[in-house]
C-alpha cells in the first residue's frame, strides 16, 4: 500500500532526512517541549553519587553524571582503576569494598559500571541501602536475578535507570512510534542484528596482576585460574560472566524491538536458537555467531542474529555474509520496512519517515538525555525511560536466546509467569548457583 502524501510536502520533508542521518523536521517540532530537559545543577543543589566499577564505561557514565551530581566516592577491586578514577573525579574518596560505600548516608545514588555478574548483587544492596541506581546494561546475569531486582525496586521505592541509552536516542523512538502507529501496516517480523563476538583462544593462565583482587572480581561465579582475557573488558565473551554479544548488544537492539512491539513489559512465547560456529576449546565460551527465532502471542515473529560484518564493538570489519544485515533493528510490516541503528534511520518508502504522525497518535516516553532523565527522576520520583522492569524484560529476551542457543531445541515461554511451559529442564537455567559468601541478601 502506498502511503498518502502530497509531492510538495514530501520534497520539503525528505530534504530534511537526506542520507537518513537527520531526523525529520515534523518529529523535531513535535518533540519540542515533549521531552524532559535536564539542566546542569549548581553544586549545592546536586545529589552525591558513587561510582562502583571504574572501568571504561563506568568512568564514561560518571563524566556524564558529574553534570548533575557531586562524585563523592569511587570503588573498584582493581587498585589501579580505582586510583585513576579518584584522580579523574576530583580526589573522590576511594573504596575497594562496595559495602563500605553503601554505609555512607550522604551518598544518594550509585552508578554501577561493574561487569554483568556483579550488577544485581550491587544493585539490590544499593537499593536496600536507600540509594537510587544508574546501572549499566545488560541489567542482569540471569532471569531470576531480574525478578528479584524488580521486586526489591518495588519494595524500596528506588529509582533504577538501565544503561540502555538507545531509549534516549530520538531515532529509535521515532522508529518505534511509527511502528506502533501502524506506519508499516500490520507489523509482521522484526530483525535484530547484533555484532558478532570474538572467537579467540586458547588462552593460558598467567599470574594475577598485583593491583587486582581476582577472588573479589569473580564474586558469585566459579573460581578459575586468572586468565587476562576473562577479566577487564573481554569478560563479556564468557558464559560465566555474561552472554556474549547476545546480551551485550541485545540489551540495546532487543530492547528497541520490544519497545516497537509494545511488549516491553512482556516477552516472547517461543524461542529457538542455535550457534552458527563452534568455539575454540580453552578460548572465549559465549557463541560468537548465532541465530535465534522468537514468536510473540500477537503473531509477530522475530529473528535475532549475529552479523559477522560488524566487530564486537559495532565497528564495520567486513562484508556481511549472505542473509546478514548491518547491526541495528529492522521492522517489517505489510506496507514495507524501517531500519534503525545508531546515527541512521531508513525506510523502504521515504514517506514513512517524512509524513507527520497525527496529533492524536500514540507517543512514547520521550527522553533526549539518558543520564539527565535519571537525575530528573531522582528528583521527581517518576519512573525513568528504561526503568527496572524494562531493563529486566529486555535482557530476559537475550537470556532466553542464550539458553536456547545452549540447549538447542525449541522452547515455549510464559511471559506472564516468567517461566518455561512445562519444561523443568529449561527452568533450571533461569538461575545460577552462587559461590559463597555471595548472595542477594548482602545488607
Ligand atoms: N551502555 C553502553 O553502551 C555500554 C558500553 C560499554 C559497556 N557497558 C557495560 O558497562 C559494564 C562495564 O563494562 P566495561 O567495558 O567498562 O568493563 P571493564 O572491565 O572495563 O570495567 C569493569 C570494572 O569493574 C570493576 N569491578 C569488578 N568487580 C567489582 C566489584 N565487585 N566492585 C567494584 N568494582 C568491580 C573491575 O575491576 C573494572 O575496573 C558492562 O556491564 C558493560 O556491558 C555499557
Amino acid at each position: 500500500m502506498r502511503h498518502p502524501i502530497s509531492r510538495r510536502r514530501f520534497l520539503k520533508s525528505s530534504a530534511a532526512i537526506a542520507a537518513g542521518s537527520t531526523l525529520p523536521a515534523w518529529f523535531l517540532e513535535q518533540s519540542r517541549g515533549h521531552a524532559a530537559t535536564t539542566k546542569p545543577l549548581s553544586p549545592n543543589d546536586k545529589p552525591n553519587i558513587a561510582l562502583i566499577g571504574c572501568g571504561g564505561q563506568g568512568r564514561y557514565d560518571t563524566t556524564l553524571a558529574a553534570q548533575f551530581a557531586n562524585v563523592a566516592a569511587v570503588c573498584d577491586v582493581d587498585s589501579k582503576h580505582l586510583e585513576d578514577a579518584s584522580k579523574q573525579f576530583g580526589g573522590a574518596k576511594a573504596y575497594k569494598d562496595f559495602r563500605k560505600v553503601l554505609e555512607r548516608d550522604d551518598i544518594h545514588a550509585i552508578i554501577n559500571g561493574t561487569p554483568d555478574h556483579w550488577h544485581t548483587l550491587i544493585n539490590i544492596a544499593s537499593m536496600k541501602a536507600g540509594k537510587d541506581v544508574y546501572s549499566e546494561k545488560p541489567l542482569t546475569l540471569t532471569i531470576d536475578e531480574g525478578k528479584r531486582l524488580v521486586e526489591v525496586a518495588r519494595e524500596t521505592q528506588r529509582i533504577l535507570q538501565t544503561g540502555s541509552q538507545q531509549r534516549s536516542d530520538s531515532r529509535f523512538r521515532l522508529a518505534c512510534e511509527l511502528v506502533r502507529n501502524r506506519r508499516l501496516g500490520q507489523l509482521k517480523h522484526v530483525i535484530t542484528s547484533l555484532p558478532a563476538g570474538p572467537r579467540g583462544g586458547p588462552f593460558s593462565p598467567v599470574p594475577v596482576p598485583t593491583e587486582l583482587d581476582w577472588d573479589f572480581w569473580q564474586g558469585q561465579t566459579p573460581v578459575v585460574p586468572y586468565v587476562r582475557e576473562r577479566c577487564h573488558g573481554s569478560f563479556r565473551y564468557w558464559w560465566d560472566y555474561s552472554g556474549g554479544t547476545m546480551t551485550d548488544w541485545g540489551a540495546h537492539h532487543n530492547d528497541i524491538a520490544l519497545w516497537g512491539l509494545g511488549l516491553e513489559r512482556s516477552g516472547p512465547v517461543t524461542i529457538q536458537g542455535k550457534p552458527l560456529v563452534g568455539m575454540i576449546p580453552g578460548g572465549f565460551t559465549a557463541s560468537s555467531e548465532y541465530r535465534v527465532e522468537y514468536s510473540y502471542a500477537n503473531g509477530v515473529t522475530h529473528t535475532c542474529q549475529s552479523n559477522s560484518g560488524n566487530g564486537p564493538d559495532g565497528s564495520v570489519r567486513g562484508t556481511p555474509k549472505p542473509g546478514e544485515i548491518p547491526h541495528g533493528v529492522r521492522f517489517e510490516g505489510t506496507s514495507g520496512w524501517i531500519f534503525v541503528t545508531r546515527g541512521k534511520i531508513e525506510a523502504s518508502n521515504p514517506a514513512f519517515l517524512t509524513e507527520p504522525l497525527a496529533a492524536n497518535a500514540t507517543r512514547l516516553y520521550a527522553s533526549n538525555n539518558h543520564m539527565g532523565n535519571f537525575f530528573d527522576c531522582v528528583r521527581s520520583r517518576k519512573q525513568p525511560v528504561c526503568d527496572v522492569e524494562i531493563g529486566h524484560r529486555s535482557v530476559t529476551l537475550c537470556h532466553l536466546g542464550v539458553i536456547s542457543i545452549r540447549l538447542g531445541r525449541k522452547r515455549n515461554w510464559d511471559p506472564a509467569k516468567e517461566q518455561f511451559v512445562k519444561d523443568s529442564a529449561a527452568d533450571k537455567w533461569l538461575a545460577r548457583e552462587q559461590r559463597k559468601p555471595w548472595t542477594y541478601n548482602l545488607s
Side-chain angles (χ1 to χ4, degrees):
M1 191 188 79
R2 239 183 129 242
H3 204 79
I5 183 170
S6 79
R7 186 174 154 70
R8 201 167 62 87
R9 207 153 151 210
F10 168 71
L11 288 176
K12 190 170 159 232
S13 44
S14 64
I17 56 152
S21 58
T22 316
L23 286 161
W26 69 265
F27 181 73
L28 292 173
E29 181 60 36
Q30 288 187 4
S31 297
R32 209 162 284 146
H34 187 45
T37 48
T38 308
K39 293 196 177 65
L41 303 166
S42 76
N44 290 340
D45 204 19
K46 289 176 171 178
N48 291 330
I49 60 164
L51 166 63
I52 303 177
C54 306
Q57 187 65 15
R59 282 161 63 179
Y60 172 70
D61 287 339
T62 306
T63 309
L64 302 177
Q67 290 178 275
F68 311 107
N70 302 311
V71 185
V74 290
C75 170
D76 205 294
V77 296
D78 179 314
S79 62
K80 173 94 179 58
H81 284 195
L82 186 60
E83 198 182 309
D84 289 350
S86 177
K87 270 190 209 138
Q88 182 177 347
F89 298 108
K93 192 162 166 48
Y95 296 82
K96 176 174 173 185
D97 190 329
F98 64 92
R99 292 167 292 191
K100 293 282 170 220
V101 176
L102 300 184
E103 283 170 8
R104 276 181 61 172
D105 289 339
D106 64 330
I107 306 262
H108 307 113
I110 67 135
I111 309 282
N112 188 346
T114 58
D116 310 1
H117 64 283
W118 266 111
H119 288 173
T120 302
L121 279 86
I122 292 174
N123 291 339
I124 286 181
S126 299
M127 290 194 286
K128 285 189 175 171
K131 324 293 184 206
D132 293 322
V133 174
Y134 182 100
S135 174
E136 264 314 331
K137 48 49 65 179
L139 193 52
T140 62
L141 185 67
T142 66
I143 294 172
D144 175 65
E145 284 195 347
K147 291 196 223 170
R148 290 167 186 272
L149 193 65
V150 169
E151 209 171 295
V152 172
R154 231 173 249 148
E155 278 165 19
T156 58
Q157 299 282 297
R158 292 300 93 196
I159 300 296
L160 186 150
Q161 172 87 297
T162 313
S164 296
Q165 73 274 11
Q166 289 180 180
R167 286 247 165 183
S168 297
D169 176 329
S170 312
R171 263 177 213 93
F172 291 96
R173 177 164 54 89
L174 169 63
C176 293
E177 286 187 347
L178 292 171
V179 170
R180 291 262 199 121
N181 288 286
R182 296 179 63 88
R183 186 56 56 94
L184 299 177
Q186 194 186 347
L187 182 65
K188 301 298 274 183
H189 188 64
V190 185
I191 300 173
T192 45
S193 172
L194 312 179
R199 202 171 153 266
F203 304 119
S204 304
V206 292
V208 180
T210 48
E211 66 269 21
L212 178 69
D213 185 335
W214 176 232
D215 186 76
F216 202 160
W217 188 99
Q218 290 177 94
Q220 62 170 324
T221 66
V223 173
V224 292
Y226 175 75
V227 168
R228 193 177 299 111
E229 290 77 5
R230 280 182 169 267
C231 194
H232 299 325
S234 48
F235 63 83
R236 45 179 54 79
Y237 310 121
W238 300 82
W239 294 133
D240 282 348
Y241 319 118
S242 182
T245 62
M246 181 77 207
T247 51
D248 193 30
W249 277 92
H252 290 300
H253 292 333
N254 284 339
D255 177 54
I256 298 302
L258 288 182
W259 206 16
L261 277 157
L263 292 174
E264 57 188 350
R265 294 178 198 278
S266 181
V269 293
T270 65
I271 311 108
Q272 179 154 34
K274 62 172 180 194
L276 300 179
V277 292
M279 300 305 287
I280 297 166
F284 294 125
T285 51
S287 289
S288 61
E289 295 184 44
Y290 46 83
R291 186 180 168 98
V292 182
E293 304 289 351
Y294 301 96
S295 70
Y296 298 90
N298 62 6
V300 177
T301 52
H302 172 186
T303 303
C304 176
Q305 63 185 25
S306 55
N307 170 35
S308 55
N310 290 116
D313 63 353
S315 59
V316 176
R317 72 170 180 197
T319 312
K321 291 178 186 166
E324 294 179 340
I325 59 170
H327 85 82
V329 187
R330 181 176 150 114
F331 293 101
E332 299 176 347
T334 46
S335 311
W337 54 261
I338 290 174
F339 174 77
V340 63
T341 190
R342 296 183 180 184
K344 187 159 95 172
I345 180 165
E346 293 173 335
S348 53
N349 176 352
F352 288 161
L353 308 181
T354 54
E355 173 74 0
L357 280 170
N360 63 353
T362 301
R363 305 316 291 258
L364 299 176
Y365 191 140
S367 156
N368 294 328
N369 182 329
H370 209 57
M371 189 58 79
N373 174 251
F374 170 62
F375 284 104
D376 270 354
C377 295
V378 165
R379 281 162 189 278
S380 70
R381 309 314 292 172
K382 290 193 180 136
Q383 285 300 320
V385 67
C386 200
D387 69 38
V388 62
E389 188 181 4
I390 296 173
H392 156 55
R393 292 291 190 155
S394 297
V395 75
T396 290
L397 190 61
C398 309
H399 290 320
L400 290 173
V402 165
I403 293 169
S404 178
I405 289 169
R406 298 183 74 181
L407 287 183
R409 74 174 171 77
K410 189 170 180 178
R411 304 278 156 177
N412 296 310
W413 176 249
D414 182 334
K417 290 192 182 143
E418 296 192 72
Q419 61 190 43
F420 290 95
V421 180
K422 294 189 187 123
D423 192 343
S424 50
D427 277 340
K428 288 204 182 92
W429 288 67
L430 298 179
R432 296 192 195 184
E433 203 174 316
Q434 293 185 296
R435 180 171 68 101
K436 287 189 175 66
W438 300 111
T439 74
Y440 298 114
N441 298 310
L442 291 176
S443 61

